[in-house]
Amino acid sequence: MAADQGNVNAMVKYGLMRHNGAGIVHDKEEAAEYFKKAVEKDDPEAMYYYGNVLEERSISSEFQNDKKEAAKYYKTAADKGNTRAMIKYGRMLYCGDGVDKNVEEAASYFKKAAEKDDTSGMLYYGMVLESGSGVPENKEEAARYYKTAADRGDPNAMFNYGNLLYQNDDRKEAAKYFKL
């Protein structure tokens, strides 16, 4: 099998199949093993998925420390350009979940994801801009990020953009985004 021969992409794909039970027996522990093998080859996508496995396990009391470990993998993957990890790590920073709370750093990760054209990054960065959490409040800039994400189909961004329009008395345009 390609994963056992050292193919990183195969390790990640097989790990996902095992984790999700996609066409094969569901086995989260084996999935974690394959993600970890790919992590050892410095693969950012594997770091993200391995972080997910650790975060899921942290719900159980016997694995409480796994959330902190998950944060380390998310940060490394984020710093290597993985936008989903940027969002996950940013959310952990924003809430102080598994890491020390740092809204400024969270905003920075959301912005990086947004700048890489990630719709979720645009939504989260718009949210911190709108509220002034970790960055100076800038509702016009928040609206720009929301609109871009909304026009790409993100329903939360549609609502947030519509809400800003509504607050600015542009009810007709707000209704359009609420209805989408």
Side-chain angles (χ1 to χ4, degrees):
M1 162 160 92
D4 292 334
Q5 298 291 325
N7 183 297
V8 175
N9 292 328
M11 290 175 195
V12 173
K13 191 66 162 182
Y14 183 70
L16 283 171
M17 291 178 74
R18 273 296 193 208
H19 187 268
N20 299 326
I24 58 176
V25 175
H26 177 86
D27 185 339
K28 287 187 178 185
E29 290 307 312
E30 187 175 13
E33 289 173 26
Y34 277 90
F35 292 145
K36 181 72 170 151
K37 287 178 184 180
V39 163
E40 290 167 0
K41 293 188 175 274
D42 209 33
D43 184 75
E45 185 178 17
M47 292 171 191
Y48 168 78
Y49 287 121
Y50 190 62
N52 279 344
V53 168
L54 293 171
E55 188 175 15
E56 286 174 6
R57 286 198 321 200
S58 72
I59 295 168
S60 167
S61 61
E62 69 181 283
F63 295 109
Q64 290 277 317
N65 289 331
D66 281 0
K67 187 156 285 198
K68 289 179 183 177
E69 195 68 14
K72 291 177 189 175
Y73 285 98
Y74 289 145
K75 181 181 184 334
T76 302
D79 291 345
K80 290 181 177 289
N82 184 293
T83 56
R84 289 176 294 175
M86 290 174 192
I87 302 302
K88 281 276 200 169
Y89 187 61
R91 289 175 56 187
M92 292 177 95
L93 286 164
Y94 191 84
C95 298
D97 187 19
V99 295
D100 291 336
K101 185 173 182 167
N102 186 331
V103 293
E104 291 84 8
E105 191 175 357
S108 161
Y109 277 96
F110 297 149
K111 183 178 183 181
K112 288 177 189 177
E115 288 173 344
K116 287 178 118 332
D117 220 25
D118 183 274
T119 308
S120 293
M122 292 175 194
L123 170 68
Y124 281 101
Y125 190 56
M127 291 166 65
V128 296
L129 284 167
E130 181 181 4
S131 66
S133 298
V135 293
E137 182 180 300
N138 187 335
K139 292 188 186 219
E140 288 176 14
E141 190 74 359
R144 188 177 68 77
Y145 279 101
Y146 286 153
K147 183 175 186 333
T148 301
D151 290 347
R152 292 182 183 177
D154 186 294
N156 293 315
M158 291 173 194
F159 173 78
N160 288 6
Y161 183 59
N163 204 38
L164 283 179
L165 292 168
Y166 185 86
Q167 291 169 11
N168 289 318
D169 292 324
D170 190 348
R171 303 295 160 90
K172 188 174 181 178
E173 191 70 6
K176 174 184 156 189
Y177 279 89
F178 287 145
K179 187 173 185 307
L180 291 175

